[in-house]
Amino acid sequence: MKILTYNMMSCSKKQCVGKGHPLKLDCTESQTLTQDFQLEFIKNMIPRLDWDGIRAVAPMFNINLGDNIEGQLENEEFLKNLFKLVVNTKIIKGKLTCPSCNREYFIENGIPNMLLREDEIYQDIKE
Amino acid sequence: MSDNTVKTKDGLMKAEEPLMDHFTSKDYKDFYEPAQDSYLFIDSLLNDASSLKSMNPYICLEIGSGSGFVINYLAKLLGPNNGSRLFLATDINPKAALATVKTAQRNSHENLDVINTSFIQSLERLKGHFDVVLFNPPYVPTESEEIKLGGIAASWAGGIDGREVIDKLLPQIPHILSGKGFFYMVLVQENKPKNVISIMDTYGFNYKVNISNFLLINLNAKNNNILSSSVLY
Ligand SMILES: [Zn+2]
């Protein structure tokens, strides 16, 4: 799963709507792709990104985006680094944790398991 | 079946079917094997290749991707596969989710991510941003209880009129699709497709003002004859 996808995800519980992101990422296995920079695509993704989430994970993959993210959205060097992080970096194994309810979701083979258990669904609807 | 080519303004377009030789019949006990409805689905995508390409989707989603055959086909059709689009697939069945990943790997698609979830649960923040949504629902009429069996039954058991799972998604479609979005869904005659159309009509799918396009594919499961395939604007 790309950092891009991870960045746009949130906790599965209804009770966490609006506050179940960015999920905290623990990545134990990752993969780096070598796809060429796509300016149009990355510019189109920018309004959908959660910058707190981007700031939190960039150092994990040794990507330096600088301090002033919002001021660099037209800077090509910045956009190239951002592309490297969100499009060319994949999480293969790890864990996502909801910042609101602390529910943990595991990632195996690049697939996050976002399914809730029956009792969680029941509890979620009740609350 | 078509010969996999379609004429567009850019010339003759061709899309290969995804390689599926990494699975054996044993694997297909755990997830849905591409069948006539899957081929009808990719034929419809091929027919729309020109408009899909000119719409230039950034994010494409398949709900219930099973083996991954259809979403990988779309990725091939829209190629080149180079980081300029994001393909997402969800499946409630963990074995199907893994199968979709394996099919992406077999076909060297690096821009397809798979999430083990129900419909678009956990992807709600992307509502309104999906440019293409594909859905080959569990449309076979069954007892309501059969929907909950899980595993491969989730790929076909549709409850009363085969509509119970479909009807959960329909109200979400207007919120999921982007303004330019296309939604593709397979239906069979038992699903009462005319009723599905009128429901989508009440959700504001006014095709004449061309807010969104909705391709309805009807096929009859009983005798496998395609009854109609129409695009409504
Ligand atoms: Zn939560």
Side-chain angles (χ1 to χ4, degrees), chain A residues 10-64:
Chain A
S10 52
C11 181
S12 291
K13 292 188 185 177
K14 286 192 177 65
Q15 67 187 47
C16 294
V17 168
K19 50 186 178 174
H21 69 89
L23 296 161
K24 183 178 168 287
L25 171 66
D26 291 293
C27 181
T28 50
E29 188 186 336
S30 64
Q31 184 195 349
T32 307
L33 307 177
T34 56
Q35 300 185 106
D36 290 339
F37 177 56
Q38 302 289 335
L39 178 66
E40 188 199 342
F41 180 71
I42 198 73
K43 279 197 156 180
N44 198 276
M45 289 300 121
I46 277 175
R48 305 163 205 208
L49 294 176
D50 181 309
W51 292 113
D52 288 341
I54 296 290
R55 269 188 211 96
V57 301
M60 292 182 199
F61 302 97
N62 297 316
I63 293 174
N64 183 6

Short mmCIF file of all heavy atoms in Angstrom, two decimals, chain A residues 10-64:
data_model
loop_
_atom_site.label_atom_id
_atom_site.label_comp_id
_atom_site.label_asym_id
_atom_site.label_seq_id
_atom_site.Cartn_x
_atom_site.Cartn_y
_atom_site.Cartn_z
N SER A 10 -8.77 6.35 7.04
CA SER A 10 -9.13 6.71 8.41
C SER A 10 -9.68 5.49 9.13
O SER A 10 -9.93 4.45 8.52
CB SER A 10 -10.17 7.84 8.41
OG SER A 10 -11.25 7.50 7.58
N CYS A 11 -9.89 5.62 10.43
CA CYS A 11 -10.43 4.53 11.25
C CYS A 11 -11.78 4.08 10.69
O CYS A 11 -12.57 4.90 10.23
CB CYS A 11 -10.58 5.00 12.70
SG CYS A 11 -11.22 3.74 13.82
N SER A 12 -12.05 2.77 10.77
CA SER A 12 -13.31 2.23 10.22
C SER A 12 -14.53 2.54 11.07
O SER A 12 -15.66 2.42 10.60
CB SER A 12 -13.19 0.70 10.08
OG SER A 12 -12.27 0.37 9.07
N LYS A 13 -14.31 2.91 12.34
CA LYS A 13 -15.46 3.09 13.23
C LYS A 13 -16.21 4.39 12.94
O LYS A 13 -15.60 5.44 12.73
CB LYS A 13 -14.99 3.09 14.68
CG LYS A 13 -14.47 1.74 15.13
CD LYS A 13 -14.21 1.77 16.62
CE LYS A 13 -13.58 0.45 17.07
NZ LYS A 13 -13.24 0.48 18.50
N LYS A 14 -17.54 4.29 13.00
CA LYS A 14 -18.37 5.48 12.77
C LYS A 14 -18.12 6.53 13.85
O LYS A 14 -18.15 7.73 13.60
CB LYS A 14 -19.85 5.09 12.76
CG LYS A 14 -20.25 4.37 11.48
CD LYS A 14 -21.76 4.25 11.35
CE LYS A 14 -22.13 3.60 10.03
NZ LYS A 14 -21.67 2.18 9.96
N GLN A 15 -17.86 6.07 15.06
CA GLN A 15 -17.65 7.00 16.18
C GLN A 15 -16.38 7.85 15.98
O GLN A 15 -16.20 8.85 16.65
CB GLN A 15 -17.55 6.22 17.49
CG GLN A 15 -16.31 5.34 17.58
CD GLN A 15 -16.29 4.45 18.81
OE1 GLN A 15 -17.27 3.80 19.14
NE2 GLN A 15 -15.17 4.42 19.50
N CYS A 16 -15.52 7.42 15.02
CA CYS A 16 -14.27 8.16 14.80
C CYS A 16 -14.32 9.05 13.56
O CYS A 16 -13.29 9.61 13.17
CB CYS A 16 -13.11 7.17 14.68
SG CYS A 16 -12.81 6.30 16.21
N VAL A 17 -15.49 9.15 12.95
CA VAL A 17 -15.61 10.00 11.75
C VAL A 17 -15.12 11.41 12.06
O VAL A 17 -15.50 12.01 13.06
CB VAL A 17 -17.07 10.05 11.24
CG1 VAL A 17 -17.24 11.16 10.19
CG2 VAL A 17 -17.46 8.71 10.64
N GLY A 18 -14.22 11.91 11.23
CA GLY A 18 -13.70 13.27 11.40
C GLY A 18 -12.52 13.38 12.34
O GLY A 18 -11.82 14.39 12.34
N LYS A 19 -12.28 12.32 13.14
CA LYS A 19 -11.14 12.39 14.06
C LYS A 19 -10.27 11.13 14.01
O LYS A 19 -9.28 11.04 14.73
CB LYS A 19 -11.63 12.66 15.49
CG LYS A 19 -12.75 11.73 15.94
CD LYS A 19 -13.32 12.12 17.30
CE LYS A 19 -14.48 11.16 17.65
NZ LYS A 19 -15.02 11.35 18.98
N GLY A 20 -10.65 10.18 13.14
CA GLY A 20 -9.91 8.91 13.06
C GLY A 20 -8.77 8.95 12.05
O GLY A 20 -8.45 7.95 11.42
N HIS A 21 -8.12 10.13 11.89
CA HIS A 21 -7.00 10.27 10.99
C HIS A 21 -6.17 11.48 11.39
O HIS A 21 -6.68 12.39 12.06
CB HIS A 21 -7.51 10.42 9.55
CG HIS A 21 -8.20 11.74 9.32
ND1 HIS A 21 -7.53 12.88 8.92
CD2 HIS A 21 -9.49 12.11 9.51
CE1 HIS A 21 -8.40 13.88 8.83
NE2 HIS A 21 -9.57 13.45 9.18
N PRO A 22 -4.91 11.59 11.02
CA PRO A 22 -4.18 10.52 10.32
C PRO A 22 -3.90 9.34 11.26
O PRO A 22 -3.62 9.54 12.44
CB PRO A 22 -2.87 11.20 9.91
CG PRO A 22 -2.69 12.33 10.89
CD PRO A 22 -4.07 12.77 11.26
N LEU A 23 -4.00 8.15 10.70
CA LEU A 23 -3.69 6.95 11.46
C LEU A 23 -2.19 6.95 11.77
O LEU A 23 -1.39 7.37 10.94
CB LEU A 23 -4.07 5.71 10.66
CG LEU A 23 -5.57 5.55 10.35
CD1 LEU A 23 -5.78 4.57 9.19
CD2 LEU A 23 -6.33 5.07 11.57
N LYS A 24 -1.85 6.49 12.96
CA LYS A 24 -0.43 6.40 13.31
C LYS A 24 0.16 5.19 12.60
O LYS A 24 -0.42 4.10 12.62
CB LYS A 24 -0.30 6.25 14.83
CG LYS A 24 1.13 6.22 15.33
CD LYS A 24 1.15 6.11 16.86
CE LYS A 24 2.55 5.78 17.36
NZ LYS A 24 2.95 4.38 17.10
N LEU A 25 1.28 5.40 11.93
CA LEU A 25 1.89 4.31 11.15
C LEU A 25 3.10 3.72 11.85
O LEU A 25 4.00 4.44 12.27
CB LEU A 25 2.32 4.84 9.77
CG LEU A 25 3.15 3.89 8.90
CD1 LEU A 25 2.34 2.66 8.47
CD2 LEU A 25 3.70 4.61 7.66
N ASP A 26 3.09 2.39 12.00
CA ASP A 26 4.29 1.64 12.36
C ASP A 26 4.61 0.76 11.17
O ASP A 26 3.82 -0.13 10.84
CB ASP A 26 4.05 0.75 13.60
CG ASP A 26 3.87 1.58 14.85
OD1 ASP A 26 4.83 2.21 15.28
OD2 ASP A 26 2.73 1.58 15.39
N CYS A 27 5.74 1.02 10.51
CA CYS A 27 6.07 0.27 9.30
C CYS A 27 7.27 -0.61 9.57
O CYS A 27 8.34 -0.12 9.92
CB CYS A 27 6.35 1.23 8.15
SG CYS A 27 6.73 0.40 6.60
N THR A 28 7.12 -1.93 9.42
CA THR A 28 8.25 -2.83 9.67
C THR A 28 8.85 -3.35 8.37
O THR A 28 9.95 -3.89 8.36
CB THR A 28 7.81 -4.03 10.54
OG1 THR A 28 6.63 -4.62 9.98
CG2 THR A 28 7.50 -3.59 11.96
N GLU A 29 8.11 -3.20 7.26
CA GLU A 29 8.67 -3.59 5.96
C GLU A 29 8.11 -2.67 4.89
O GLU A 29 6.90 -2.46 4.84
CB GLU A 29 8.32 -5.06 5.65
CG GLU A 29 9.02 -5.60 4.43
CD GLU A 29 8.53 -7.01 4.05
OE1 GLU A 29 8.01 -7.73 4.93
OE2 GLU A 29 8.67 -7.35 2.87
N SER A 30 9.01 -2.11 4.08
CA SER A 30 8.54 -1.21 3.03
C SER A 30 9.25 -1.54 1.72
O SER A 30 10.18 -2.34 1.68
CB SER A 30 8.79 0.24 3.41
OG SER A 30 10.18 0.48 3.52
N GLN A 31 8.77 -0.92 0.65
CA GLN A 31 9.33 -1.16 -0.67
C GLN A 31 9.42 0.18 -1.38
O GLN A 31 8.53 1.02 -1.23
CB GLN A 31 8.40 -2.11 -1.44
CG GLN A 31 8.90 -2.52 -2.80
CD GLN A 31 7.80 -3.15 -3.65
OE1 GLN A 31 6.71 -3.47 -3.17
NE2 GLN A 31 8.05 -3.31 -4.93
N THR A 32 10.51 0.40 -2.12
CA THR A 32 10.66 1.66 -2.86
C THR A 32 10.53 1.39 -4.35
O THR A 32 11.18 0.49 -4.89
CB THR A 32 12.03 2.30 -2.56
OG1 THR A 32 12.16 2.41 -1.14
CG2 THR A 32 12.13 3.68 -3.16
N LEU A 33 9.66 2.16 -5.01
CA LEU A 33 9.48 2.03 -6.45
C LEU A 33 10.35 3.09 -7.14
O LEU A 33 10.84 4.03 -6.51
CB LEU A 33 8.02 2.23 -6.84
CG LEU A 33 6.98 1.37 -6.11
CD1 LEU A 33 5.57 1.76 -6.55
CD2 LEU A 33 7.22 -0.11 -6.39
N THR A 34 10.51 2.95 -8.45
CA THR A 34 11.39 3.87 -9.18
C THR A 34 10.64 4.56 -10.32
O THR A 34 11.20 4.89 -11.35
CB THR A 34 12.59 3.11 -9.77
OG1 THR A 34 12.09 2.04 -10.58
CG2 THR A 34 13.49 2.57 -8.68
N GLN A 35 9.34 4.76 -10.15
CA GLN A 35 8.55 5.37 -11.23
C GLN A 35 8.95 6.84 -11.42
O GLN A 35 9.25 7.55 -10.46
CB GLN A 35 7.06 5.27 -10.90
CG GLN A 35 6.61 3.82 -10.76
CD GLN A 35 5.12 3.69 -10.57
OE1 GLN A 35 4.40 3.28 -11.46
NE2 GLN A 35 4.65 4.04 -9.38
N ASP A 36 8.89 7.29 -12.67
CA ASP A 36 9.26 8.67 -13.00
C ASP A 36 8.25 9.66 -12.40
O ASP A 36 7.07 9.38 -12.32
CB ASP A 36 9.31 8.87 -14.52
CG ASP A 36 10.49 8.13 -15.14
OD1 ASP A 36 11.45 7.83 -14.40
OD2 ASP A 36 10.42 7.83 -16.34
N PHE A 37 8.77 10.80 -12.03
CA PHE A 37 7.97 11.89 -11.45
C PHE A 37 6.82 12.28 -12.38
O PHE A 37 7.00 12.45 -13.58
CB PHE A 37 8.90 13.09 -11.22
CG PHE A 37 8.21 14.31 -10.69
CD1 PHE A 37 7.49 14.26 -9.52
CD2 PHE A 37 8.31 15.52 -11.37
CE1 PHE A 37 6.86 15.40 -9.02
CE2 PHE A 37 7.70 16.66 -10.88
CZ PHE A 37 6.97 16.60 -9.71
N GLN A 38 5.61 12.42 -11.80
CA GLN A 38 4.42 12.81 -12.55
C GLN A 38 3.86 14.09 -11.93
O GLN A 38 3.11 14.04 -10.94
CB GLN A 38 3.36 11.71 -12.51
CG GLN A 38 3.82 10.37 -13.04
CD GLN A 38 4.00 10.36 -14.55
OE1 GLN A 38 3.38 11.15 -15.26
NE2 GLN A 38 4.84 9.46 -15.03
N LEU A 39 4.21 15.21 -12.52
CA LEU A 39 3.86 16.52 -11.96
C LEU A 39 2.35 16.72 -11.85
O LEU A 39 1.84 17.12 -10.81
CB LEU A 39 4.49 17.64 -12.80
CG LEU A 39 4.17 19.07 -12.35
CD1 LEU A 39 4.78 19.37 -10.99
CD2 LEU A 39 4.65 20.09 -13.38
N GLU A 40 1.64 16.42 -12.93
CA GLU A 40 0.20 16.68 -12.96
C GLU A 40 -0.52 15.86 -11.88
O GLU A 40 -1.39 16.35 -11.17
CB GLU A 40 -0.35 16.32 -14.35
CG GLU A 40 -1.80 16.73 -14.55
CD GLU A 40 -2.46 15.99 -15.70
OE1 GLU A 40 -1.75 15.43 -16.55
OE2 GLU A 40 -3.70 15.97 -15.72
N PHE A 41 -0.11 14.60 -11.75
CA PHE A 41 -0.75 13.72 -10.78
C PHE A 41 -0.51 14.21 -9.36
O PHE A 41 -1.44 14.32 -8.56
CB PHE A 41 -0.22 12.29 -10.94
CG PHE A 41 -0.84 11.32 -9.97
CD1 PHE A 41 -2.16 10.93 -10.09
CD2 PHE A 41 -0.09 10.78 -8.92
CE1 PHE A 41 -2.74 10.04 -9.20
CE2 PHE A 41 -0.66 9.89 -8.02
CZ PHE A 41 -1.99 9.52 -8.17
N ILE A 42 0.73 14.52 -9.04
CA ILE A 42 1.03 14.93 -7.66
C ILE A 42 0.35 16.25 -7.31
O ILE A 42 -0.18 16.42 -6.21
CB ILE A 42 2.57 14.96 -7.40
CG1 ILE A 42 2.85 14.93 -5.89
CG2 ILE A 42 3.26 16.16 -8.02
CD1 ILE A 42 2.61 13.61 -5.23
N LYS A 43 0.28 17.16 -8.29
CA LYS A 43 -0.42 18.43 -8.04
C LYS A 43 -1.89 18.19 -7.78
O LYS A 43 -2.52 18.87 -6.97
CB LYS A 43 -0.24 19.37 -9.24
CG LYS A 43 1.09 20.10 -9.22
CD LYS A 43 1.06 21.29 -10.17
CE LYS A 43 2.08 22.32 -9.74
NZ LYS A 43 2.10 23.49 -10.61
N ASN A 44 -2.45 17.20 -8.48
CA ASN A 44 -3.86 16.89 -8.30
C ASN A 44 -4.14 16.22 -6.96
O ASN A 44 -5.22 16.35 -6.40
CB ASN A 44 -4.33 15.98 -9.44
CG ASN A 44 -5.83 15.99 -9.55
OD1 ASN A 44 -6.50 15.25 -8.86
ND2 ASN A 44 -6.35 16.86 -10.40
N MET A 45 -3.14 15.51 -6.43
CA MET A 45 -3.33 14.81 -5.15
C MET A 45 -3.18 15.75 -3.96
O MET A 45 -3.70 15.48 -2.88
CB MET A 45 -2.32 13.66 -5.03
CG MET A 45 -2.58 12.48 -5.94
SD MET A 45 -4.20 11.72 -5.65
CE MET A 45 -4.92 11.92 -7.27
N ILE A 46 -2.45 16.85 -4.15
CA ILE A 46 -2.11 17.74 -3.03
C ILE A 46 -3.32 18.17 -2.19
O ILE A 46 -3.28 18.07 -0.96
CB ILE A 46 -1.27 18.93 -3.52
CG1 ILE A 46 0.20 18.47 -3.60
CG2 ILE A 46 -1.40 20.15 -2.63
CD1 ILE A 46 1.14 19.49 -4.18
N PRO A 47 -4.43 18.61 -2.82
CA PRO A 47 -5.56 19.05 -1.98
C PRO A 47 -6.16 17.93 -1.13
O PRO A 47 -6.90 18.19 -0.19
CB PRO A 47 -6.60 19.55 -3.01
CG PRO A 47 -5.90 19.61 -4.31
CD PRO A 47 -4.68 18.77 -4.24
N ARG A 48 -5.87 16.68 -1.48
CA ARG A 48 -6.48 15.54 -0.76
C ARG A 48 -5.58 15.04 0.36
O ARG A 48 -5.97 14.17 1.13
CB ARG A 48 -6.73 14.39 -1.74
CG ARG A 48 -7.58 14.83 -2.91
CD ARG A 48 -7.49 13.84 -4.05
NE ARG A 48 -7.78 14.54 -5.31
CZ ARG A 48 -8.30 13.98 -6.39
NH1 ARG A 48 -8.58 12.70 -6.37
NH2 ARG A 48 -8.53 14.67 -7.46
N LEU A 49 -4.36 15.55 0.44
CA LEU A 49 -3.41 15.02 1.43
C LEU A 49 -3.64 15.61 2.82
O LEU A 49 -4.05 16.75 2.97
CB LEU A 49 -1.98 15.31 0.98
CG LEU A 49 -1.52 14.59 -0.29
CD1 LEU A 49 -0.11 15.04 -0.68
CD2 LEU A 49 -1.55 13.08 -0.12
N ASP A 50 -3.35 14.79 3.81
CA ASP A 50 -3.38 15.23 5.20
C ASP A 50 -1.94 15.55 5.59
O ASP A 50 -1.10 14.65 5.70
CB ASP A 50 -3.95 14.08 6.06
CG ASP A 50 -4.04 14.46 7.52
OD1 ASP A 50 -3.02 14.94 8.09
OD2 ASP A 50 -5.10 14.26 8.10
N TRP A 51 -1.64 16.84 5.74
CA TRP A 51 -0.24 17.23 5.93
C TRP A 51 0.33 16.79 7.27
O TRP A 51 1.53 16.51 7.38
CB TRP A 51 -0.07 18.75 5.75
CG TRP A 51 -0.31 19.13 4.32
CD1 TRP A 51 -1.34 19.87 3.82
CD2 TRP A 51 0.47 18.74 3.17
NE1 TRP A 51 -1.24 19.98 2.45
CE2 TRP A 51 -0.14 19.30 2.02
CE3 TRP A 51 1.63 17.98 3.00
CZ2 TRP A 51 0.37 19.12 0.74
CZ3 TRP A 51 2.14 17.81 1.72
CH2 TRP A 51 1.51 18.38 0.61
N ASP A 52 -0.50 16.69 8.29
CA ASP A 52 0.00 16.16 9.56
C ASP A 52 0.50 14.73 9.36
O ASP A 52 1.54 14.35 9.90
CB ASP A 52 -1.12 16.17 10.63
CG ASP A 52 -1.43 17.59 11.10
OD1 ASP A 52 -0.57 18.48 10.88
OD2 ASP A 52 -2.52 17.80 11.66
N GLY A 53 -0.26 13.97 8.59
CA GLY A 53 0.14 12.59 8.29
C GLY A 53 1.42 12.53 7.49
O GLY A 53 2.29 11.70 7.73
N ILE A 54 1.55 13.42 6.50
CA ILE A 54 2.76 13.47 5.67
C ILE A 54 3.97 13.82 6.53
O ILE A 54 5.02 13.16 6.47
CB ILE A 54 2.60 14.52 4.53
CG1 ILE A 54 1.48 14.10 3.57
CG2 ILE A 54 3.93 14.75 3.80
CD1 ILE A 54 1.78 12.90 2.72
N ARG A 55 3.82 14.87 7.37
CA ARG A 55 4.92 15.30 8.24
C ARG A 55 5.38 14.17 9.15
O ARG A 55 6.56 13.99 9.39
CB ARG A 55 4.47 16.47 9.11
CG ARG A 55 4.74 17.82 8.49
CD ARG A 55 4.45 18.95 9.49
NE ARG A 55 3.99 20.11 8.76
CZ ARG A 55 2.72 20.43 8.57
NH1 ARG A 55 1.75 19.70 9.11
NH2 ARG A 55 2.39 21.49 7.88
N ALA A 56 4.40 13.39 9.66
CA ALA A 56 4.74 12.34 10.63
C ALA A 56 5.52 11.20 9.99
O ALA A 56 6.37 10.60 10.64
CB ALA A 56 3.44 11.81 11.27
N VAL A 57 5.23 10.87 8.72
CA VAL A 57 5.86 9.68 8.14
C VAL A 57 7.09 9.96 7.29
O VAL A 57 7.91 9.06 7.08
CB VAL A 57 4.86 8.79 7.34
CG1 VAL A 57 3.71 8.34 8.23
CG2 VAL A 57 4.34 9.51 6.10
N ALA A 58 7.24 11.19 6.78
CA ALA A 58 8.38 11.48 5.88
C ALA A 58 9.73 11.09 6.49
O ALA A 58 10.54 10.43 5.82
CB ALA A 58 8.38 12.96 5.47
N PRO A 59 10.00 11.43 7.78
CA PRO A 59 11.31 11.05 8.34
C PRO A 59 11.52 9.54 8.43
O PRO A 59 12.66 9.07 8.34
CB PRO A 59 11.28 11.66 9.76
CG PRO A 59 10.18 12.66 9.75
CD PRO A 59 9.20 12.20 8.74
N MET A 60 10.44 8.76 8.56
CA MET A 60 10.57 7.30 8.63
C MET A 60 11.20 6.73 7.36
O MET A 60 11.80 5.66 7.37
CB MET A 60 9.18 6.64 8.76
CG MET A 60 8.47 6.88 10.06
SD MET A 60 6.90 5.97 9.99
CE MET A 60 6.01 6.82 11.26
N PHE A 61 10.98 7.43 6.24
CA PHE A 61 11.51 6.96 4.96
C PHE A 61 12.65 7.86 4.47
O PHE A 61 12.97 7.88 3.28
CB PHE A 61 10.37 6.86 3.95
CG PHE A 61 9.26 5.95 4.42
CD1 PHE A 61 8.13 6.47 5.04
CD2 PHE A 61 9.38 4.57 4.31
CE1 PHE A 61 7.13 5.63 5.51
CE2 PHE A 61 8.38 3.72 4.77
CZ PHE A 61 7.25 4.25 5.39
N ASN A 62 13.23 8.61 5.43
CA ASN A 62 14.39 9.47 5.16
C ASN A 62 14.12 10.47 4.03
O ASN A 62 14.99 10.71 3.19
CB ASN A 62 15.62 8.62 4.83
CG ASN A 62 16.01 7.76 6.01
OD1 ASN A 62 16.02 8.24 7.15
ND2 ASN A 62 16.29 6.50 5.75
N ILE A 63 12.92 10.99 4.00
CA ILE A 63 12.61 12.01 3.00
C ILE A 63 12.40 13.34 3.72
O ILE A 63 11.58 13.45 4.63
CB ILE A 63 11.37 11.61 2.17
CG1 ILE A 63 11.73 10.37 1.32
CG2 ILE A 63 10.91 12.77 1.29
CD1 ILE A 63 10.60 9.77 0.56
N ASN A 64 13.22 14.33 3.31
CA ASN A 64 13.17 15.63 3.96
C ASN A 64 12.31 16.58 3.14
O ASN A 64 12.66 16.96 2.03
CB ASN A 64 14.60 16.18 4.11
CG ASN A 64 14.61 17.50 4.85
OD1 ASN A 64 13.56 17.97 5.34
ND2 ASN A 64 15.77 18.12 4.93
#
